[in-house]
Amino acid sequence: VHVLLLQWEHSDLVDLPKQVQRLGEVFEVDYGFQVEHFTIPVKESDIQLGQRLQKWVGAYDHDEALLILYYGGHGGRKGYNRNTVCSVLWNPFHDFVQRASADKLFILDCCYASTGIVPTSPRGASEMLCATGLDTVAYAGPSSFTGALAACLEDLAKLGPFSVSTLH
């Protein structure tokens, strides 16, 4: 199992970096997963993120693997104009990862997390766990989705194997 945790280089979500760090530690310590962090730079965001995802998928994609891709940060719905420096068009990256042979789990902690994303894959299984629905904003702060996810994963680690539905 290979986990890639994505967040922005500069963010106004002050609690998020600590929560992402804790989530990474839970995946690594409690589950023994290989965890990598990638901070999306503000400059050349699309290029840097694309290169990182290609390297990650290329290194770990095989039929017996599970790729867990986490994103924490701002999100918007199609046509939504957000005044933020940090933005990328997510769908091309999602589609690229979906083509991997490995099983995939996408975890999105952002506003409008499930907008335009379809959890189907031509190869390997694919599931999503989203902080919000189509027209919903995410809660940022000490009780965010990422914090709750880390706490749930810690509790579930004591019980043995479980499904994404159980985690939800």
Side-chain angles (χ1 to χ4, degrees), residues 17-107:
K18 288 181 184 176
Q19 293 171 348
V20 172
Q21 185 65 35
R22 179 173 173 234
L23 179 61
E25 290 168 0
V26 170
F27 278 135
E28 204 165 36
V29 174
D30 294 356
Y31 292 90
F33 296 167
Q34 181 177 354
V35 176
E36 298 176 37
H37 293 260
F38 181 69
T39 303
I40 306 167
V42 174
K43 191 173 184 176
E44 298 182 335
S45 306
D46 290 9
I47 294 169
Q48 297 296 318
L49 179 57
Q51 289 174 345
R52 185 64 185 98
L53 286 173
Q54 285 181 344
K55 181 180 174 186
W56 182 66
V57 171
Y60 305 119
D61 183 25
H62 59 85
D63 291 344
E64 301 298 317
L66 170 61
L67 303 177
I68 300 175
L69 183 61
Y70 163 92
Y71 169 75
H74 289 293
R77 57 183 169 218
K78 188 174 182 179
Y80 180 74
N81 185 7
R82 180 170 177 77
N83 293 324
T84 182
V85 177
C86 304
S87 65
V88 295
L89 185 60
W90 172 249
N91 286 6
F93 299 119
H94 174 265
D95 294 345
F96 171 75
V97 176
Q98 282 287 49
R99 289 192 295 271
S101 298
D103 292 337
K104 284 111 6 212
L105 172 60
F106 296 89
I107 303 173

Coordinates of all heavy atoms in Angstrom, one line a residue, residues 17-107:
P17 N -2.0 21.4 8.0 CA -0.6 20.7 8.0 C -0.4 19.8 9.1 O 0.1 18.6 8.9 CB 0.4 21.9 8.0 CG -0.4 23.0 7.4 CD -1.8 22.9 7.9
K18 N -0.8 20.1 10.3 CA -0.7 19.2 11.5 C -1.6 18.0 11.3 O -1.2 16.9 11.7 CB -1.0 19.9 12.8 CG 0.1 20.9 13.2 CD -0.3 21.6 14.5 CE 0.7 22.6 14.9 NZ 0.4 23.3 16.1
Q19 N -2.8 18.2 10.8 CA -3.7 17.1 10.6 C -3.2 16.1 9.6 O -3.3 14.9 9.7 CB -5.1 17.6 10.3 CG -5.7 18.4 11.5 CD -7.0 19.1 11.1 OE1 -7.3 19.2 9.9 NE2 -7.7 19.5 12.1
V20 N -2.7 16.7 8.5 CA -2.1 15.8 7.4 C -0.9 15.0 7.9 O -0.7 13.8 7.6 CB -1.8 16.7 6.2 CG1 -1.0 15.8 5.1 CG2 -3.0 17.3 5.6
Q21 N -0.1 15.7 8.7 CA 1.1 15.0 9.3 C 0.6 13.8 10.2 O 1.1 12.7 10.1 CB 1.9 16.0 10.1 CG 3.2 15.4 10.7 CD 4.2 15.0 9.6 OE1 4.3 15.6 8.6 NE2 4.9 13.9 9.8
R22 N -0.4 14.1 11.0 CA -1.0 13.0 11.9 C -1.6 11.9 11.0 O -1.3 10.7 11.4 CB -2.0 13.6 12.8 CG -2.6 12.6 13.7 CD -3.6 13.2 14.7 NE -4.3 12.1 15.5 CZ -5.6 12.1 15.6 NH1 -6.3 13.0 15.1 NH2 -6.1 11.1 16.3
L23 N -2.3 12.2 10.0 CA -2.9 11.2 9.1 C -1.8 10.3 8.5 O -1.9 9.1 8.5 CB -3.7 11.9 8.0 CG -4.3 10.9 7.0 CD1 -5.3 10.0 7.7 CD2 -5.0 11.8 5.9
G24 N -0.7 11.0 8.1 CA 0.4 10.2 7.5 C 1.0 9.3 8.6 O 1.4 8.1 8.2
E25 N 1.2 9.8 9.8 CA 1.7 8.9 10.9 C 0.8 7.7 11.2 O 1.3 6.6 11.4 CB 1.9 9.8 12.1 CG 3.1 10.8 12.0 CD 3.1 11.8 13.1 OE1 2.3 11.8 14.0 OE2 4.0 12.7 13.0
V26 N -0.5 7.9 11.1 CA -1.4 6.8 11.3 C -1.3 5.8 10.2 O -1.1 4.6 10.5 CB -2.9 7.3 11.4 CG1 -3.9 6.2 11.4 CG2 -3.1 8.2 12.7
F27 N -1.2 6.2 9.0 CA -1.0 5.3 7.9 C 0.3 4.5 8.0 O 0.4 3.3 7.8 CB -1.1 6.0 6.5 CG -2.4 6.3 6.0 CD1 -2.7 7.5 5.5 CD2 -3.4 5.3 6.0 CE1 -4.0 7.8 4.9 CE2 -4.7 5.6 5.4 CZ -5.0 6.8 4.9
E28 N 1.3 5.2 8.4 CA 2.7 4.6 8.5 C 2.8 3.7 9.7 O 3.3 2.6 9.6 CB 3.7 5.8 8.5 CG 5.1 5.4 8.0 CD 5.9 6.6 7.7 OE1 5.8 7.6 8.5 OE2 6.7 6.5 6.8
V29 N 2.5 4.3 10.9 CA 2.7 3.5 12.1 C 1.7 2.5 12.4 O 2.0 1.3 12.7 CB 2.8 4.5 13.3 CG1 2.9 3.8 14.6 CG2 4.0 5.5 13.1
D30 N 0.4 2.8 12.3 CA -0.7 1.9 12.7 C -0.9 0.8 11.6 O -1.4 -0.3 11.9 CB -2.0 2.6 13.0 CG -1.9 3.5 14.2 OD1 -0.8 3.5 14.9 OD2 -2.9 4.2 14.5
Y31 N -0.6 1.2 10.3 CA -0.9 0.3 9.2 C 0.3 -0.2 8.5 O 0.2 -1.2 7.7 CB -1.9 0.9 8.2 CG -3.3 1.2 8.8 CD1 -3.6 2.3 9.5 CD2 -4.2 0.2 8.7 CE1 -4.8 2.5 10.1 CE2 -5.5 0.4 9.3 CZ -5.8 1.5 10.0 OH -7.0 1.7 10.5
G32 N 1.4 0.4 8.7 CA 2.6 0.0 8.0 C 2.7 0.3 6.5 O 3.4 -0.3 5.7
F33 N 1.9 1.3 6.1 CA 1.8 1.7 4.7 C 3.0 2.6 4.4 O 3.5 3.3 5.3 CB 0.6 2.5 4.4 CG -0.7 1.7 4.5 CD1 -1.9 2.4 4.5 CD2 -0.8 0.4 4.6 CE1 -3.1 1.7 4.7 CE2 -2.0 -0.3 4.8 CZ -3.1 0.4 4.8
Q34 N 3.5 2.6 3.2 CA 4.5 3.6 2.7 C 3.8 4.9 2.4 O 2.9 5.0 1.6 CB 5.2 3.0 1.5 CG 6.3 3.9 1.0 CD 7.1 3.4 -0.2 OE1 6.9 2.3 -0.6 NE2 8.0 4.2 -0.7
V35 N 4.3 5.9 3.1 CA 3.7 7.3 3.0 C 4.6 8.3 2.5 O 5.8 8.4 2.9 CB 3.2 7.7 4.4 CG1 2.6 9.1 4.3 CG2 2.1 6.8 5.0
E36 N 4.1 9.0 1.5 CA 4.9 10.1 0.9 C 4.1 11.4 1.0 O 2.8 11.3 0.9 CB 5.3 9.9 -0.5 CG 6.1 8.6 -0.7 CD 6.4 8.3 -2.2 OE1 6.6 9.3 -3.0 OE2 6.4 7.1 -2.5
H37 N 4.7 12.5 1.2 CA 4.0 13.8 1.3 C 4.5 14.6 0.0 O 5.7 14.6 -0.3 CB 4.4 14.6 2.5 CG 3.9 14.0 3.8 ND1 2.8 14.5 4.4 CD2 4.4 13.0 4.5 CE1 2.6 13.7 5.5 NE2 3.6 12.8 5.6
F38 N 3.6 15.3 -0.5 CA 3.9 16.3 -1.6 C 3.2 17.6 -1.4 O 2.0 17.6 -1.2 CB 3.6 15.7 -3.0 CG 4.0 16.7 -4.1 CD1 5.3 16.9 -4.4 CD2 3.0 17.4 -4.8 CE1 5.7 17.8 -5.4 CE2 3.4 18.2 -5.9 CZ 4.7 18.4 -6.1
T39 N 4.0 18.6 -1.3 CA 3.5 20.0 -1.1 C 3.4 20.6 -2.5 O 4.4 20.8 -3.1 CB 4.4 20.8 -0.2 OG1 4.5 20.1 1.1 CG2 3.8 22.2 0.1
I40 N 2.2 20.9 -2.9 CA 2.0 21.5 -4.2 C 2.5 22.9 -4.2 O 2.0 23.7 -3.4 CB 0.5 21.4 -4.6 CG1 -0.1 20.0 -4.5 CG2 0.3 22.0 -6.0 CD1 -1.6 20.0 -4.5
P41 N 3.4 23.2 -5.1 CA 4.0 24.6 -5.1 C 3.0 25.5 -5.8 O 2.2 25.1 -6.6 CB 5.3 24.5 -5.9 CG 5.0 23.3 -6.8 CD 4.1 22.4 -6.0
V42 N 3.0 26.8 -5.4 CA 2.1 27.8 -6.0 C 2.6 28.0 -7.4 O 1.8 28.2 -8.3 CB 2.1 29.1 -5.2 CG1 1.4 30.2 -5.9 CG2 1.6 28.8 -3.8
K43 N 3.9 28.0 -7.7 CA 4.4 28.3 -9.0 C 4.4 27.0 -9.8 O 4.9 26.0 -9.3 CB 5.8 28.9 -8.9 CG 6.4 29.4 -10.2 CD 7.7 30.1 -9.9 CE 8.2 30.7 -11.2 NZ 9.5 31.5 -11.0
E44 N 3.9 27.0 -11.0 CA 3.9 25.8 -11.9 C 3.2 24.7 -11.2 O 3.6 23.5 -11.3 CB 5.3 25.4 -12.4 CG 6.0 26.5 -13.2 CD 7.4 26.1 -13.7 OE1 8.0 25.2 -13.0 OE2 7.8 26.6 -14.7
S45 N 2.1 24.9 -10.6 CA 1.3 23.9 -9.8 C 1.0 22.7 -10.7 O 1.2 21.6 -10.3 CB 0.0 24.5 -9.3 OG 0.3 25.6 -8.5
D46 N 0.4 22.9 -11.8 CA -0.1 21.8 -12.7 C 1.1 21.0 -13.1 O 1.0 19.7 -13.1 CB -0.8 22.4 -13.9 CG -2.1 23.0 -13.6 OD1 -2.4 23.2 -12.4 OD2 -2.9 23.3 -14.6
I47 N 2.2 21.6 -13.5 CA 3.3 20.8 -14.0 C 4.0 20.0 -12.9 O 4.2 18.8 -13.0 CB 4.4 21.8 -14.6 CG1 3.8 22.5 -15.9 CG2 5.7 21.1 -14.9 CD1 4.6 23.6 -16.4
Q48 N 4.2 20.7 -11.7 CA 4.8 20.0 -10.6 C 4.0 18.8 -10.1 O 4.5 17.7 -9.8 CB 5.1 21.0 -9.5 CG 6.1 22.1 -9.9 CD 7.5 21.5 -10.2 OE1 8.0 20.6 -9.5 NE2 8.1 22.0 -11.2
L49 N 2.6 19.0 -10.0 CA 1.8 18.0 -9.5 C 1.7 16.9 -10.5 O 1.7 15.7 -10.1 CB 0.4 18.6 -9.2 CG -0.7 17.6 -8.7 CD1 -0.2 16.8 -7.5 CD2 -2.0 18.3 -8.5
G50 N 1.6 17.2 -11.8 CA 1.6 16.1 -12.8 C 2.8 15.3 -12.8 O 2.7 14.0 -12.9
Q51 N 4.0 15.9 -12.7 CA 5.2 15.2 -12.6 C 5.3 14.3 -11.4 O 5.8 13.1 -11.5 CB 6.4 16.1 -12.7 CG 6.6 16.8 -14.0 CD 7.7 17.8 -14.0 OE1 8.2 18.3 -13.0 NE2 8.1 18.2 -15.2
R52 N 4.8 14.8 -10.3 CA 4.9 14.0 -9.0 C 4.0 12.8 -9.1 O 4.3 11.7 -8.7 CB 4.5 14.9 -7.8 CG 4.7 14.2 -6.5 CD 6.1 13.8 -6.3 NE 6.3 13.1 -5.1 CZ 6.4 11.7 -5.1 NH1 6.4 11.0 -6.2 NH2 6.6 11.1 -3.9
L53 N 2.8 13.0 -9.7 CA 1.8 11.9 -9.8 C 2.3 10.8 -10.8 O 2.2 9.6 -10.5 CB 0.4 12.4 -10.2 CG -0.3 13.1 -9.1 CD1 -1.6 13.7 -9.7 CD2 -0.7 12.2 -8.0
Q54 N 2.9 11.3 -11.9 CA 3.5 10.3 -12.8 C 4.6 9.5 -12.2 O 4.7 8.2 -12.4 CB 4.1 11.0 -14.0 CG 3.0 11.5 -15.0 CD 3.6 12.2 -16.2 OE1 4.8 12.6 -16.2 NE2 2.8 12.4 -17.2
K55 N 5.5 10.1 -11.4 CA 6.5 9.4 -10.7 C 6.0 8.4 -9.7 O 6.4 7.2 -9.6 CB 7.5 10.4 -10.0 CG 8.6 9.8 -9.3 CD 9.5 10.8 -8.6 CE 10.6 10.2 -7.8 NZ 11.3 11.2 -7.0
W56 N 5.0 8.8 -8.9 CA 4.4 8.0 -7.9 C 3.7 6.8 -8.5 O 3.9 5.6 -8.1 CB 3.4 8.8 -7.0 CG 2.8 8.1 -5.9 CD1 3.4 7.6 -4.8 CD2 1.4 7.9 -5.7 NE1 2.5 7.1 -3.9 CE2 1.2 7.2 -4.5 CE3 0.3 8.2 -6.5 CZ2 0.0 6.8 -4.0 CZ3 -1.0 7.8 -6.0 CH2 -1.1 7.1 -4.8
V57 N 2.8 7.0 -9.5 CA 2.1 5.9 -10.1 C 3.0 5.0 -10.8 O 2.9 3.8 -10.7 CB 1.0 6.5 -11.1 CG1 0.4 5.3 -11.9 CG2 -0.1 7.2 -10.3
G58 N 4.0 5.6 -11.5 CA 5.0 4.8 -12.3 C 5.8 3.9 -11.4 O 6.1 2.7 -11.7
A59 N 6.1 4.3 -10.2 CA 6.9 3.5 -9.2 C 6.1 2.4 -8.6 O 6.7 1.3 -8.3 CB 7.5 4.4 -8.2
Y60 N 4.8 2.6 -8.4 CA 4.1 1.6 -7.5 C 2.9 0.9 -8.2 O 2.2 0.1 -7.6 CB 3.6 2.3 -6.3 CG 4.7 3.0 -5.5 CD1 4.7 4.3 -5.3 CD2 5.8 2.2 -5.0 CE1 5.8 4.9 -4.6 CE2 6.8 2.8 -4.3 CZ 6.8 4.2 -4.1 OH 7.8 4.8 -3.4
D61 N 2.7 1.2 -9.4 CA 1.5 0.6 -10.1 C 1.7 -0.8 -10.5 O 2.6 -1.1 -11.3 CB 1.1 1.5 -11.3 CG -0.1 1.0 -12.0 OD1 -1.0 0.3 -11.3 OD2 -0.3 1.2 -13.2
H62 N 1.0 -1.7 -9.9 CA 0.9 -3.1 -10.3 C -0.4 -3.7 -9.7 O -1.0 -3.1 -8.9 CB 2.1 -3.9 -9.8 CG 2.4 -3.9 -8.4 ND1 1.8 -4.8 -7.5 CD2 3.2 -3.1 -7.6 CE1 2.2 -4.6 -6.3 NE2 3.0 -3.6 -6.3
D63 N -0.8 -4.9 -10.2 CA -2.1 -5.5 -9.9 C -2.3 -5.7 -8.4 O -3.4 -5.8 -7.9 CB -2.3 -6.8 -10.6 CG -2.4 -6.5 -12.1 OD1 -2.7 -5.4 -12.5 OD2 -2.3 -7.5 -12.9
E64 N -1.2 -5.9 -7.6 CA -1.3 -6.3 -6.2 C -1.3 -5.0 -5.3 O -1.3 -5.2 -4.1 CB -0.2 -7.3 -5.8 CG -0.2 -8.5 -6.6 CD -1.5 -9.3 -6.4 OE1 -2.0 -9.4 -5.3 OE2 -2.1 -9.8 -7.4
A65 N -1.1 -3.9 -5.9 CA -1.0 -2.6 -5.1 C -2.3 -1.9 -4.8 O -3.2 -2.1 -5.5 CB 0.0 -1.7 -5.8
L66 N -2.3 -1.2 -3.7 CA -3.3 -0.2 -3.4 C -2.7 1.2 -3.3 O -1.7 1.4 -2.6 CB -4.0 -0.5 -2.1 CG -5.0 0.6 -1.5 CD1 -6.1 0.8 -2.5 CD2 -5.5 0.2 -0.1
L67 N -3.1 2.1 -4.1 CA -2.7 3.5 -4.1 C -3.7 4.3 -3.4 O -4.9 4.4 -3.9 CB -2.4 4.0 -5.6 CG -1.5 3.2 -6.4 CD1 -1.4 3.8 -7.8 CD2 -0.1 3.1 -5.8
I68 N -3.3 5.0 -2.4 CA -4.2 5.9 -1.7 C -3.7 7.3 -1.9 O -2.6 7.7 -1.5 CB -4.2 5.6 -0.1 CG1 -4.7 4.2 0.1 CG2 -5.1 6.6 0.6 CD1 -4.6 3.8 1.6
L69 N -4.6 8.1 -2.6 CA -4.2 9.5 -2.9 C -5.1 10.4 -2.1 O -6.4 10.4 -2.2 CB -4.4 9.7 -4.4 CG -4.1 11.1 -4.9 CD1 -2.6 11.4 -4.6 CD2 -4.4 11.3 -6.4
Y70 N -4.5 11.2 -1.2 CA -5.2 12.1 -0.3 C -5.0 13.6 -0.8 O -3.8 13.9 -1.1 CB -4.7 11.9 1.1 CG -5.1 13.1 2.0 CD1 -6.3 13.1 2.7 CD2 -4.3 14.2 2.1 CE1 -6.7 14.2 3.5 CE2 -4.6 15.3 2.9 CZ -5.8 15.3 3.6 OH -6.2 16.4 4.4
Y71 N -6.0 14.4 -0.8 CA -5.8 15.8 -1.0 C -6.6 16.6 0.1 O -7.7 16.3 0.4 CB -6.4 16.2 -2.4 CG -6.5 17.7 -2.5 CD1 -5.3 18.5 -2.7 CD2 -7.7 18.4 -2.4 CE1 -5.4 19.9 -2.8 CE2 -7.7 19.8 -2.5 CZ -6.6 20.5 -2.7 OH -6.7 21.9 -2.7
G72 N -5.9 17.5 0.7 CA -6.5 18.4 1.7 C -6.2 19.8 1.3 O -5.1 20.2 1.0
G73 N -7.2 20.6 1.1 CA -7.1 22.0 0.7 C -8.4 22.6 0.2 O -9.5 22.1 0.5
H74 N -8.3 23.7 -0.6 CA -9.5 24.3 -1.1 C -10.0 23.5 -2.3 O -9.2 22.8 -3.0 CB -9.2 25.7 -1.5 CG -9.0 26.6 -0.4 ND1 -10.1 26.9 0.5 CD2 -7.9 27.3 0.1 CE1 -9.6 27.8 1.4 NE2 -8.3 28.0 1.2
G75 N -11.3 23.6 -2.6 CA -11.9 22.9 -3.8 C -13.0 23.8 -4.3 O -13.5 24.6 -3.5
G76 N -13.3 23.7 -5.5 CA -14.4 24.5 -6.1 C -15.2 23.7 -7.1 O -14.7 22.6 -7.6
R77 N -16.4 24.1 -7.3 CA -17.2 23.4 -8.3 C -17.0 24.0 -9.7 O -16.5 25.1 -9.8 CB -18.7 23.4 -7.9 CG -19.2 24.8 -7.7 CD -20.6 24.8 -7.3 NE -21.0 26.1 -6.9 CZ -21.7 26.4 -5.8 NH1 -22.2 25.5 -5.1 NH2 -22.0 27.7 -5.5
K78 N -17.3 23.3 -10.7 CA -17.1 23.8 -12.1 C -17.9 25.1 -12.3 O -19.0 25.3 -11.9 CB -17.7 22.8 -13.1 CG -17.3 23.1 -14.5 CD -17.7 22.0 -15.4 CE -17.3 22.3 -16.8 NZ -17.7 21.2 -17.7
G79 N -17.1 26.1 -12.8 CA -17.7 27.4 -13.0 C -17.6 28.3 -11.7 O -18.0 29.5 -11.8
Y80 N -17.1 27.8 -10.6 CA -17.0 28.5 -9.4 C -15.7 29.3 -9.5 O -14.6 28.7 -9.6 CB -17.0 27.5 -8.2 CG -16.9 28.2 -6.9 CD1 -17.9 28.9 -6.3 CD2 -15.7 28.1 -6.2 CE1 -17.8 29.4 -5.0 CE2 -15.5 28.6 -4.9 CZ -16.6 29.3 -4.4 OH -16.5 29.9 -3.1
N81 N -15.7 30.6 -9.3 CA -14.6 31.4 -9.4 C -14.1 31.8 -8.0 O -14.7 32.6 -7.3 CB -14.9 32.7 -10.2 CG -13.6 33.5 -10.4 OD1 -12.5 33.1 -10.1 ND2 -13.8 34.7 -11.0
R82 N -13.1 31.1 -7.5 CA -12.5 31.4 -6.2 C -11.3 32.3 -6.3 O -10.4 32.1 -7.1 CB -12.1 30.0 -5.6 CG -11.6 30.2 -4.2 CD -11.4 28.9 -3.5 NE -10.8 29.1 -2.2 CZ -11.5 29.5 -1.2 NH1 -12.7 29.8 -1.2 NH2 -10.8 29.7 0.0
N83 N -11.3 33.3 -5.5 CA -10.1 34.2 -5.4 C -9.0 33.6 -4.6 O -8.8 33.9 -3.4 CB -10.5 35.5 -4.9 CG -11.5 36.3 -5.8 OD1 -11.3 36.2 -7.0 ND2 -12.4 37.0 -5.2
T84 N -8.3 32.7 -5.2 CA -7.2 32.0 -4.5 C -6.0 31.8 -5.5 O -6.2 31.6 -6.7 CB -7.6 30.7 -3.9 OG1 -6.5 30.1 -3.2 CG2 -8.1 29.7 -4.9
V85 N -4.8 31.9 -5.0 CA -3.6 31.7 -5.8 C -3.4 30.2 -6.1 O -2.9 29.8 -7.1 CB -2.4 32.2 -5.1 CG1 -1.1 32.0 -5.9 CG2 -2.5 33.7 -4.9
C86 N -3.9 29.4 -5.1 CA -3.6 27.9 -5.2 C -4.8 27.2 -5.9 O -5.8 27.0 -5.3 CB -3.5 27.4 -3.8 SG -2.2 28.2 -2.8
S87 N -4.6 26.9 -7.2 CA -5.6 26.1 -7.8 C -5.0 25.3 -9.0 O -4.1 25.7 -9.6 CB -6.7 27.1 -8.4 OG -6.2 27.9 -9.4
V88 N -5.6 24.1 -9.2 CA -5.3 23.3 -10.4 C -6.6 22.7 -10.8 O -7.6 22.5 -10.0 CB -4.3 22.1 -10.1 CG1 -2.9 22.7 -9.7 CG2 -4.8 21.2 -9.0
L89 N -6.7 22.3 -12.1 CA -7.8 21.6 -12.6 C -7.6 20.1 -12.2 O -6.6 19.5 -12.7 CB -7.9 21.8 -14.1 CG -9.2 21.2 -14.7 CD1 -10.5 21.8 -14.1 CD2 -9.1 21.5 -16.2
W90 N -8.4 19.5 -11.4 CA -8.1 18.2 -10.8 C -8.4 17.1 -11.7 O -7.8 16.0 -11.7 CB -9.0 18.1 -9.5 CG -8.9 16.7 -8.9 CD1 -9.9 15.8 -8.8 CD2 -7.8 16.1 -8.3 NE1 -9.5 14.7 -8.2 CE2 -8.2 14.8 -7.9 CE3 -6.5 16.4 -8.1 CZ2 -7.3 13.9 -7.3 CZ3 -5.6 15.5 -7.5 CH2 -6.0 14.3 -7.1
N91 N -9.5 17.2 -12.6 CA -9.9 16.0 -13.3 C -8.8 15.3 -14.2 O -8.8 14.1 -14.2 CB -11.1 16.4 -14.2 CG -12.4 16.6 -13.4 OD1 -12.4 16.5 -12.2 ND2 -13.5 16.8 -14.1
P92 N -7.9 16.1 -14.9 CA -6.9 15.3 -15.6 C -6.0 14.5 -14.7 O -5.6 13.4 -15.1 CB -6.1 16.5 -16.3 CG -7.0 17.6 -16.3 CD -7.9 17.5 -15.1
F93 N -5.7 14.9 -13.5 CA -4.9 14.2 -12.6 C -5.6 12.9 -12.1 O -5.1 11.9 -12.0 CB -4.4 15.0 -11.4 CG -3.6 16.2 -11.9 CD1 -4.0 17.5 -11.6 CD2 -2.4 16.0 -12.6 CE1 -3.3 18.6 -12.1 CE2 -1.6 17.1 -13.0 CZ -2.1 18.4 -12.7
H94 N -6.9 13.1 -11.8 CA -7.7 12.0 -11.3 C -7.8 11.0 -12.4 O -7.6 9.8 -12.2 CB -9.1 12.6 -11.0 CG -10.1 11.5 -10.6 ND1 -11.0 11.0 -11.6 CD2 -10.4 10.8 -9.5 CE1 -11.7 10.1 -11.0 NE2 -11.4 9.9 -9.8
D95 N -8.1 11.4 -13.7 CA -8.2 10.5 -14.8 C -6.9 9.7 -15.0 O -6.9 8.5 -15.3 CB -8.6 11.2 -16.0 CG -10.0 11.8 -16.0 OD1 -10.7 11.4 -15.1 OD2 -10.3 12.7 -16.8
F96 N -5.7 10.4 -14.8 CA -4.4 9.7 -15.0 C -4.3 8.6 -13.9 O -3.9 7.5 -14.3 CB -3.3 10.7 -14.9 CG -2.0 10.1 -14.8 CD1 -1.3 9.6 -15.9 CD2 -1.3 10.0 -13.6 CE1 -0.1 8.9 -15.9 CE2 0.0 9.4 -13.5 CZ 0.5 8.9 -14.6
V97 N -4.6 8.9 -12.7 CA -4.4 7.9 -11.6 C -5.4 6.8 -11.8 O -5.1 5.6 -11.6 CB -4.6 8.5 -10.2 CG1 -4.5 7.5 -9.1 CG2 -3.5 9.6 -10.0
Q98 N -6.6 7.1 -12.3 CA -7.6 6.0 -12.5 C -7.2 5.0 -13.5 O -7.6 3.8 -13.5 CB -8.9 6.7 -13.1 CG -9.8 7.3 -12.0 CD -10.4 6.3 -11.1 OE1 -9.8 5.4 -10.6 NE2 -11.7 6.5 -10.9
R99 N -6.3 5.3 -14.4 CA -5.8 4.3 -15.4 C -4.8 3.4 -14.9 O -4.4 2.4 -15.6 CB -5.2 5.1 -16.6 CG -6.3 5.8 -17.5 CD -5.8 6.3 -18.8 NE -4.8 7.3 -18.7 CZ -5.1 8.6 -18.6 NH1 -6.3 9.0 -18.7 NH2 -4.1 9.5 -18.6
A100 N -4.4 3.5 -13.7 CA -3.4 2.6 -13.0 C -4.0 1.2 -12.9 O -5.3 1.1 -12.7 CB -3.0 3.1 -11.7
S101 N -3.2 0.2 -12.9 CA -3.7 -1.2 -12.7 C -4.0 -1.5 -11.2 O -4.8 -2.4 -10.9 CB -2.6 -2.2 -13.1 OG -2.3 -2.0 -14.5
A102 N -3.4 -0.7 -10.3 CA -3.6 -0.9 -8.9 C -5.0 -0.6 -8.5 O -5.7 0.1 -9.2 CB -2.6 -0.1 -8.1
D103 N -5.4 -1.0 -7.3 CA -6.6 -0.5 -6.7 C -6.3 0.9 -6.2 O -5.2 1.2 -5.9 CB -7.0 -1.4 -5.6 CG -7.5 -2.8 -6.0 OD1 -7.9 -3.0 -7.2 OD2 -7.4 -3.7 -5.2
K104 N -7.4 1.7 -6.2 CA -7.2 3.1 -5.9 C -8.2 3.6 -4.9 O -9.3 3.2 -4.9 CB -7.3 4.0 -7.1 CG -6.2 4.0 -8.0 CD -6.3 3.4 -9.4 CE -7.5 2.9 -10.0 NZ -7.3 1.7 -10.9
L105 N -7.7 4.4 -3.9 CA -8.6 5.0 -3.0 C -8.3 6.5 -3.0 O -7.2 6.9 -2.7 CB -8.5 4.5 -1.5 CG -9.2 5.2 -0.4 CD1 -10.7 5.2 -0.7 CD2 -8.9 4.6 0.9
F106 N -9.3 7.3 -3.4 CA -9.1 8.8 -3.4 C -9.8 9.3 -2.1 O -11.0 9.0 -1.9 CB -9.8 9.4 -4.6 CG -9.2 9.0 -5.9 CD1 -9.6 7.9 -6.6 CD2 -8.2 9.7 -6.5 CE1 -9.1 7.5 -7.8 CE2 -7.6 9.4 -7.7 CZ -8.1 8.2 -8.3
I107 N -9.1 10.1 -1.4 CA -9.6 10.8 -0.2 C -9.5 12.3 -0.4 O -8.4 12.8 -0.5 CB -8.8 10.3 1.1 CG1 -8.9 8.8 1.3 CG2 -9.4 11.0 2.3 CD1 -8.0 8.3 2.4

